[in-house]
């Protein structure tokens, strides 16, 4: 009898392990970890990989990106803020726009609408309405305003969000320790350099960068990124192949101090 009981317990335990592994994102909040990164500002880290930011004003909260879509983000956000929410995409990649279908409206740059709509096709019919936002658009959350800065490069419709009251730049994938500029939807590196110089010009207004992936960066990181891109364009960098995955074949990598840029050597300059 004892051995039967032991066997039953073992089977139940193994079944529990299999179930919890297979459904590692159920309940929904097990996909997400929250870190408070500033006053009324949280990073929701999904699958230890991508950052979703929740930015609270007095009247509403801005959700910056929606992540991979592996959990119930809308429900999870309610554990952080009770205010009405506005959702925005820094760009259209699916690790940043994967839960867009949960929201009635998504603000994004129209140059990335095609990419965002293609994710909806994968998720079945969506009633989400895309709202175009461009350079200079202000999200007024009540006592806290965030400004849209267009930064084409990583994608054509990439944006940063400047939060001068909290001295933060939310950068999406425009600023990461390694920035990907080798994808087919990326702009020539020369265009990306102009975007970096544009946010560098606003440096008096922020101290810290909240990137799309990994931990916050000091604003001086942008100066390193600029030096890195310039060294690629003027040929002074000695690149190495970027062996991240099979889909990075042909991409090259340059490094300057702590900044790395992975790029396509055939997409450096604007074609005249
Ligand atoms: Zn991206």
């Amino acid at each position: 009898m004892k051995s039967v009981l032991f066997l039953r317990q073992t089977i139940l335990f193994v079944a529990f392990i299999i179930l919890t592994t297979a459904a590692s994102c159920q309940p929904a909040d097990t996909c997400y970890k929250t870190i408070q990164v500033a006053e009324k500002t949280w990073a929701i880290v999904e699958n230890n990989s991508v950052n979703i930011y929740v930015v609270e004003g007095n009247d509403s909260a801005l959700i910056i990106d929606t992540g991979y879509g592996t959990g119930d983000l809308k429900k999870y956000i309610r554990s952080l803020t009770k205010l009405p929410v506005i959702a925005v995409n820094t760009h259209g990649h699916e690790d940043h726009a994967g839960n867009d279908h949960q929201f009635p409206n998504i603000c994004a740059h129209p140059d990335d609408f095609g990419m965002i709509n293609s994710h909806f096709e994968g998720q079945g019919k969506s009633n989400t309405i895309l709202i175009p936002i461009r350079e200079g658009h202000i999200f007024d959350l009540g006592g806290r305003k965030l400004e849209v800065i267009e930064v084409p490069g990583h994608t054509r419709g990439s944006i940063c969000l400047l939060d001068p009251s909290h001295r933060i730049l939310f950068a999406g994938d425009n600023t990461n320790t390694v920035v990907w500029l080798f994808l087919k939807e990326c702009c020539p590196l020369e265009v990306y350099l102009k975007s970096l110089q544009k946010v560098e010009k606003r440096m008096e207004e922020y101290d810290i960068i909240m990137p799309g992936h990994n931990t916050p960066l000091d604003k001086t990181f942008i100066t390193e990124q600029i030096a890195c891109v310039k060294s690629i364009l003027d040929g002074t960098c000695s690149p190495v192949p970027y062996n991240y995955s099979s889909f990075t074949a042909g991409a090259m990598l340059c490094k300057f101090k702590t900044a790395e840029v992975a790029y396509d050597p055939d997409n450096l300059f604007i074609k005249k």
Side-chain angles (χ1 to χ4, degrees), residues 90-96 154-155 158 172-174 176 180 183 185 213:
T90 58
H91 63 296
H93 281 151
E94 68 181 337
D95 54 334
H96 297 261
H154 177 68
T155 65
S158 287
D173 282 354
N174 190 60
N176 281 315
W180 286 10
L183 303 163
E185 62 271 25
H213 300 268

